[in-house]
Structure formats: C-alpha cells, structure tokens
Amino acid sequence: MDKRKLMAYLAVLGYALIIGFTFLFSKEAMVYDVSIQLAYRGIIAAIPVIIYAIVQRGSLHYTKDKITKLLLLGLLFPFLFVGIQTFGLSITSSLEAGVAQAMAPILTLIFASLFLGETTNYKQKLSIVLSVAGVIYIIYRKQVKNPDPDFTGMAVLFLATISFSIYSVAVRRLKGFCTNREILTVVLTESAIMFFGIALVKYGKRGELHRLVEPIHDPSFIKDVLYLGLLSTFSSGLLLNYALQILPASNVVIFNNLATVIQIISGAFILGEPLFFSHKVGSVCIVLGVLGLNFLGEKNPPEPDTIKSRE
C-alpha cells in the first residue's frame, strides 16, 4: 500500500472514531432547541476555516464557477445532512439513526456508479451487504426490547443519509477541481451563516433573542457543541474530504458503519455497559465488510469521472 492510501485510511478511521461519539453529544445537547444547537455548532465549526482564510489568503483560489459549485455542495453537508440528522435525533432515538446511517454505503455505491463510473466486483458488493447486515442485526437485537420504532424519525434520518451519500460522491467528483481547504472554507462558512440566520429569525420574530445567549452559561452544553463543532463537523469534514480525494466514495462511506462498533466498545469499556453476543457477531460482520470492500477490489482501479479545473 502506498503512503497516500495509508494516510487516507488513517484519516477515515479517525473520521469513524469521531462519528462514533457524535450521537451521544448531539443527544446531550438537546436540552436546548435544535436551532440553537445547530447555530452554535455551525459557528464553532466555521471558526478554524475563517481564521485560516484570513491568515493564509494566498492559499485559497476561488473562481465564480468554484464558488457556485461549493455553495451547492454546502447545502448537502453540513447544512442538510447535519440539520436533518440533528432534527431527526430530536424526535427519535439513536437506534433509528443507526439504521438510517447503515444504508449510506449502499446509497453511495449506487450514486458513485451512476455519477463517477466507480465499479465494484461481487465480493465487494457482498462485503457492503455484510457490513450493513451487521449494523442492522445489532440494532434489531436492541430494538427487541422496544418493538415500536419511530418510522417518522427514521424517514427524516434517511433523508440525512441520502444527503450525506450525494455529498460524498460530489466531493469525489470535485477531485482536482477544488482543494480540501477550499471546500471546507466555503461549506462550513455557508452553513454557519444559514444555521445562525435560522435561529436569529426564529427567536427574533418571538422577541426572544436573549435565548440565543443563554447556553453560553451552561458548561455542559458548551462541552457538547465544542465536540460537535470542532470534531463532528470541522475535523470529520476535513478527514472525510481528504479520504475522498484518494479512495473510492463507497470505500470511504462504509467506515460510517464502524461508528457502531466504536459506540459498542466505548459503552462497554468507558460506561461499563454490558457486551452481548449480538454485539460481537454484528461487530465482526461490520469489520469484515469494511475490510472486504477495501481489499477485495482491483489493485489499481480506474480514476473516477471528475470535474477538471479550468484554471
């Protein structure tokens, strides 16, 4: 394995580790309205890229064409994906979120095949199915004790998954057209403005703008949104985009399923939660699926159909 691919795999492993704790922090931050959580999360995520843009102005090169495409990209992630996912978590449980998220590799495989010309062999397709089955099996066993899933919440979260899958393919398609920093600077700044704007309008109409500053005095909320902003949005976006510049989209997105394994491990070793047989079986299926998709394909797959820079 060459150094670039090794770094890409390390990046996407870091991404999966961060995502593994995201649902926990997002749920904890629900003590405040969703729009307030998203406003703080968006602003915190945008601070590093704004500082970088000011300090390193010469390293970012934008054209009208780039800005247009990146503004559209920003609607998918983090605005739609993060926004819809956070709203979905506010009306349902993380179990339903896990089911919806597990479908991301399958959707990404379909979109990548249609728009990038990426191909997978039957062993890789079986690997995706195995990994998805592992997630669903773990969640199903948990759900036995609560047999009334919230289908409305799942439908909302599924829309978030679709947004994420399209975003992953779009970033891959922009390879060679925009740098990782150029992408993040636009999409994170755009989402911060939109999230804060929504909260500002919502509470401005009510004459309750003071509600926007109340969370500043809550250390627990600040801890949660710092994780969600700096890690779950900024850092995970940085790592995800980097990996998508090098690896096929479906190979990257399947690492989302590792987040389920990370949740189980952290629950067992940090929170002292019980580790059941279903956890072990499902986790093995997830890991084998991730390994199969990434290492049972062509050694030198063809480059995807991308948008070339006109500079």
Side-chain angles (χ1 to χ4, degrees), residues 73-189:
L73 189 67
L75 292 177
L76 294 170
F77 178 89
F79 183 69
L80 282 179
F81 171 64
V82 172
I84 295 173
Q85 184 187 69
T86 304
F87 174 71
L89 284 169
S90 72
I91 62 174
T92 188
S93 73
S94 58
L95 295 179
E96 281 82 5
V99 173
Q101 182 174 277
M103 301 308 295
I106 293 177
L107 292 173
T108 304
L109 177 67
I110 294 170
F111 294 143
S113 175
L114 290 174
F115 300 109
L116 298 176
E118 292 183 357
T119 59
T120 51
N121 58 41
Y122 78 94
K123 292 180 181 178
Q124 290 178 296
K125 290 181 173 69
L126 288 176
S127 295
I128 291 178
V129 172
L130 180 63
S131 180
V132 172
V135 177
I136 293 176
Y137 175 66
I138 291 170
I139 293 169
Y140 169 75
R141 294 302 301 170
K142 285 184 179 180
Q143 200 77 333
V144 168
K145 297 179 181 179
N146 179 23
D148 297 315
D150 185 339
F151 290 106
T152 301
M154 285 186 68
V156 171
L157 289 163
F158 189 66
L159 290 176
T161 301
I162 293 174
S163 298
F164 175 75
S165 297
I166 297 174
Y167 170 83
S168 300
V169 171
V171 169
R172 181 77 171 150
R173 186 165 169 76
L174 289 172
K175 175 185 177 183
F177 183 74
C178 299
T179 66
N180 196 357
R181 293 189 184 97
E182 288 170 345
I183 293 172
L184 280 183
T185 299
V186 173
V187 301
L188 293 183
T189 303

Side-chain angles (χ1 to χ4, degrees), residues 18-30 89 94 223-224 227-228 263 266 270-271 273:
I18 291 169
I19 296 302
F21 292 96
T22 295
F23 289 163
L24 171 64
F25 284 93
S26 187
K27 274 291 187 181
E28 286 184 350
M30 290 300 174
L89 284 169
S94 58
K223 173 205 69 177
D224 292 333
Y227 184 93
L228 293 170
Q263 287 174 350
S266 62
I270 298 176
L271 302 177
E273 295 177 349

